Amino acid sequence: MASSNAAKRLMIFGGTGFVGSAIAREAARRGLLVQCVTRGGDAPAHLRSEPWAASVTWLRGDALNPGTYAEHMRGADAVITSVGRLPFPHLTRDVIVRDNGETNVAPARCAAEVGVDRLVVIGATVPRMIPGVGWGFSPSGGVHDAGYAAGKAIAEAHARDEFVGGDASRRRGAAVLKPGPISGTRVLGGGAKVPLWAALGPLATVMRALPLPDAVAQMTPVHVDNVARAAVAAATEDSFAGAYRAMSNAELIERFGDESSR
């Protein structure tokens, strides 16, 4: 897949998180100019010793408030949003919808306004059968889409219908990545490392070896590095320009496992 020199500066939202920091690391490794917008405006403690983090420009901003980052966004070649919130029981549905939907939509809308023509959104393959993730229930509304599924759907629809489809005079491109469970090493706020790969890695091996129905196979765990490679490819490669593209979990596993698969 041909790569262009056109997208040299990437602005990443969620760059302190598990997936976002992997994307920032991959982009920095490839020699791209990387800006990460974070609430604190600095690399988190667990990343400060990483050599790649020193090459990143960390900017203070709030994804929901474009006024805090719009001027920095001007001239960027691509915007990547990797922000969201898991549906923990103590959170209201409205908060979960907002943090998985509008926190991705606001930077995307700002990108279109300041002239950025490439957008990458880290979405999810949402298992519809799992309560609290795919569906929910309330006495007043009955069965409904869970906040997590609803928020991810809002972000995906905006990328497809508004960023790409909303202005025929501009040839904008957007990719939404839809990973299943993501494997790797997650670092918690206090610095503790959680080796998700220890459980999800063997599970992925077993699931890939079985003749599973597609709906189940799409929930095969994918390594965070696959997602990072795919995100940087979508932000920089010519084949992603000027069109909408949804990348399934299967594509992330099959095409982005290592450099030889590219």
Side-chain angles (χ1 to χ4, degrees):
M1 189 181 298
S3 181
S4 168
N5 291 324
K8 291 187 177 294
R9 180 160 69 89
L10 310 183
M11 177 172 278
I12 300 173
F13 291 80
T16 63
F18 175 44
V19 178
S21 62
I23 296 170
R25 180 177 65 243
E26 177 66 15
R29 184 187 71 80
R30 297 192 188 193
L32 299 169
L33 301 176
V34 181
Q35 295 174 308
C36 286
V37 177
T38 73
R39 287 181 179 272
D42 197 5
H46 70 275
L47 293 180
R48 289 173 192 161
S49 61
E50 298 286 341
W52 66 266
S55 70
V56 171
T57 300
W58 300 88
L59 302 170
R60 185 185 301 275
D62 178 352
L64 290 168
N65 183 1
T68 62
Y69 54 78
E71 287 306 311
H72 293 290
M73 187 182 283
R74 292 185 189 278
D77 296 287
V79 167
I80 301 174
T81 64
S82 179
V83 286
R85 189 189 290 260
L86 293 173
F88 294 115
H90 68 280
L91 300 172
T92 67
R93 183 178 187 275
D94 287 347
V95 167
I96 296 169
V97 171
R98 180 199 67 196
D99 288 354
N100 289 286
E102 185 61 24
T103 50
N104 291 286
V105 169
R109 187 181 295 117
C110 182
E113 291 172 353
V114 302
V116 178
D117 288 337
R118 191 81 68 96
L119 172 69
V120 181
V121 177
I122 308 304
T125 292
V126 179
R128 307 299 294 185
M129 73 292 291
I130 298 180
V133 176
W135 64 275
F137 176 83
S138 68
S140 58
V143 177
H144 53 75
D145 282 347
Y148 185 79
K152 294 296 185 184
I154 288 169
E156 182 174 351
H158 181 85
R160 180 187 63 239
D161 301 333
E162 299 298 327
F163 189 83
V164 173
D167 185 353
S169 67
R170 294 193 67 91
R171 190 170 176 266
R172 291 195 288 256
V176 176
L177 280 55
K178 305 183 73 169
I182 300 178
S183 177
T185 300
R186 181 185 287 272
V187 181
L188 303 180
K193 295 183 178 181
V194 181
L196 300 175
W197 54 267
L200 296 181
L203 176 61
T205 300
V206 171
M207 291 182 72
R208 287 198 296 269
L210 296 175
L212 299 172
D214 184 65
V216 178
Q218 287 295 340
M219 295 310 299
T220 300
V222 58
H223 198 277
V224 68
D225 289 345
N226 293 44
V227 181
R229 293 186 191 103
V232 175
T236 60
E237 293 180 357
D238 294 342
S239 60
F240 291 91
Y244 173 76
R245 173 92 168 271
M247 300 177 67
S248 70
N249 189 56
E251 183 175 3
L252 296 173
I253 291 171
E254 293 163 8
R255 294 187 57 200
F256 295 96
D258 54 54
E259 291 298 330
S260 64
S261 68
R262 298 294 308 285

